[in-house]
């Protein structure tokens, strides 16, 4: 395990654009999180997030899921993550469901961001789901991963209004601003060992310094 002189090693798993990945790396660069992103693992060889990682000089590992069963893919991820002795895994727009091999090897160490106020609007296209449902408020959730889809214990949430003239794009943009604020904050709390899981609840402990 890491200590204060030995920064937490993070792996980010992402499939697409990578704006949350960049927000977290920028928070690290500003000295807000005592950690380093050791590797970006991406399942899409052409994803934009890969360029971003290379610009920051972060290792990139492409683990292509093509032709693999979910279990085979997960086992490849575990092998890659063990190679880096990872302390924390962040899913940032990672469009695969995390299965047993990952959960068993990294219990309580996998965090996700989801663009809705869970438990509302789980799964894909959460922002569109909120508009179509007629919700007046939506937002985003930073949560631990468990065996369900978007069901793990909630660390932080932030709300935004859903406006009458919102499109999926405008609502997504408003939520994304909040994602970029609360995801680095959640990572900081984990790295400072201030998150205690108590059943479904995540208790945020006071800072000791
Ligand atoms: C973000 O909005 C994130 O909340 C969402 O994908 C987007 C990734 O953007 N994740 C999910 O929907 C997971 N169910 P990014 O690649 O720019 O960080």
């Amino acid at each position: 395990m890491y200590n204060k002189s030995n920064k937490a090693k993070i792996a980010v798993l992402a499939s697409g654009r990578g704006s949350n990945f960049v927000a977290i790396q920028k928070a690290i660069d500003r000295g807000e999180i005592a950690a380093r992103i050791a590797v970006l693992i991406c399942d899409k060889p052409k994803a934009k997030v890969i360029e971003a990682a290379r610009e920051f000089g972060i290792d990139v590992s492409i683990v292509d899921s093509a032709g693999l069963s979910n279990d085979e893919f997960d086992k490849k991820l575990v092998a890659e993550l063990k190679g880096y002795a990872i302390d924390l895994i962040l899913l940032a727009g990672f469009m695969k469901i995390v299965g047993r091999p990952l959960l068993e090897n990294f219990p309580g160490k996998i965090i996700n961001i989801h663009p809705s106020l869970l438990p509302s609007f789980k799964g894909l296209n959460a922002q569109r789901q909120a508009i179509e449902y007629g919700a007046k408020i939506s937002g985003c959730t930073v949560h631990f991963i468990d065996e369900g889809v978007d069901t793990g214990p909630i660390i932080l949430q932030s709300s935004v209004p859903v406006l009458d003239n919102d499109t999926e794009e405008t609502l997504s943009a408003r939520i994304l601003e909040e994602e970029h604020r609360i995801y680095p904050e959640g990572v900081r709390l984990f790295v400072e060992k201030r998150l205690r899981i108590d059943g479904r609840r995540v208790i945020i402990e006071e800072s000791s310094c």
Side-chain angles (χ1 to χ4, degrees), residues 14-23 49 91-96 112-116 121-127 139-141 143 149-150 172 175-176 179-180 183:
S15 305
R17 177 178 55 185
S19 70
N20 278 289
F21 166 83
V22 169
V49 64
L91 310 184
F94 185 59
M95 292 309 180
K96 302 280 287 182
N112 184 40
I113 180 107
H114 183 76
S116 75
F121 313 126
K122 297 177 180 135
L124 293 175
N125 307 313
Q127 303 92 331
C140 51
T141 302
H143 66 97
V149 177
D150 300 326
S172 298
I175 292 174
L176 196 63
E179 294 186 36
H180 295 167
Y183 208 179

Side-chain angles (χ1 to χ4, degrees), residues 7 72 121 137 149:
K7 290 185 176 177
E72 286 166 341
F121 313 126
I137 296 174
V149 177

Side-chain angles (χ1 to χ4, degrees), residues 70 73-74 77 91 94-99 102 146-149:
N70 287 348
F73 176 64
D74 254 43
L77 289 180
L91 310 184
F94 185 59
M95 292 309 180
K96 302 280 287 182
I97 290 169
V98 168
L102 264 170
D146 67 5
E147 52 291 328
V149 177

Side-chain angles (χ1 to χ4, degrees), residues 102-120:
L102 264 170
L103 288 166
E104 282 170 2
N105 278 281
F106 299 95
K109 293 184 180 175
I110 312 177
I111 295 179
N112 184 40
I113 180 107
H114 183 76
S116 75
L117 292 177
L118 291 172
S120 292

